Amino acid sequence: LAAEPIYQELDTLAADVPPGAHGLLFLPYLLGERSPLWNPLARGAFVGLAMSDGRGELARAVMEGVAFNLRAILEILVDASKTFEVSENLAGLRSMRLIGGGGKSALWRQILADVYGLPVALLDLPANATALGSAIAGGVGVGLYADYSVAQTLAPVARIDLPNPATHARYEALYTLFKDSYRALEPIFARLAALPEAN
């Protein structure tokens, strides 16, 4: 897998920065936020930005902030699986599957594994997995496939990235700070939206 040069450069810069980006957090709410916050007024923010922070810290903080937000969404799904009797309880997750162009980044895969505390399995066709998923859903709907288990055959795992226990522990503490940062800034987002020039 090869990423575009600009993403490769950002990966290289971010990989040279330790987990936690030297105390820099990023709230990835550039367009407001849907699940799990449901706040259209939320905005992106760097928290803890210092003069010593460079492109590497910024890039790593962005990657980690997006991963933290994906974890928050996962936690909502886990809670819902306890409320609604789903066939497979999400609380029993053994791994996460990754699709999309971001899967080309070894650093991104590792950050996700470390934030989730779960193995991350990259599918063999990450760029086309969404279209394949739609085709499988249609195939199940018209009776071409008996059930969704056919996805395991049609979308095999290319590689698995395992979480690093020490990094996962570091991210556990940072994840709490990430959530607390949003809560602290939530009233500020509302005040910013109320400014005349914001409309």
Side-chain angles (χ1 to χ4, degrees):
L1 294 175
E4 294 179 31
I6 184 65
Y7 296 118
Q8 290 176 339
E9 180 183 352
L10 288 172
D11 260 15
T12 301
L13 290 168
D16 286 339
V17 175
H22 296 129
L24 181 61
L25 293 172
F26 177 68
L27 303 182
Y29 311 125
L30 300 176
L31 294 171
E33 179 59 1
R34 293 165 296 186
S35 177
L37 302 175
W38 304 108
N39 183 358
L41 304 181
R43 291 295 178 262
F46 283 102
V47 178
L49 187 62
M51 285 290 291
S52 58
D53 292 329
R55 292 189 302 161
E57 284 81 6
L58 293 169
R60 182 156 197 130
V62 167
M63 295 171 88
E64 291 173 344
V66 171
F68 288 144
N69 200 60
L70 290 171
R71 177 175 165 177
I73 295 169
L74 176 62
E75 289 178 352
I76 295 295
L77 292 173
V78 169
D79 287 343
S81 75
K82 295 172 185 172
T83 303
F84 303 102
E85 295 182 15
V86 295
S87 58
E88 292 182 29
N89 192 324
L90 289 171
L93 280 175
R94 293 187 303 272
S95 68
M96 297 293 290
R97 293 191 174 222
L98 179 63
I99 62 171
K104 296 176 183 177
S105 166
L107 177 62
W108 176 238
R109 295 191 309 266
Q110 190 62 54
I111 287 173
L112 288 172
D114 292 338
V115 167
Y116 289 137
L118 292 168
V120 169
L122 177 68
L123 297 186
D124 198 25
L125 46 108
N128 301 318
T130 304
L132 177 62
S134 297
I136 290 171
V140 171
V142 300
L144 181 61
Y145 303 122
D147 56 39
Y148 293 101
S149 65
V150 69
Q152 293 179 356
T153 303
L154 297 178
V157 172
R159 63 166 293 127
I160 296 176
D161 293 274
L162 301 174
N164 178 307
T167 307
H168 176 62
R170 170 89 172 122
Y171 281 148
E172 286 291 285
L174 290 169
Y175 180 57
T176 299
L177 286 173
F178 172 82
K179 293 186 293 184
D180 289 347
S181 296
Y182 167 76
R183 284 191 285 271
L185 288 172
E186 188 174 13
I188 301 299
F189 296 144
R191 290 171 63 188
L192 286 171
L195 293 173
E197 56 269 27
N199 298 319

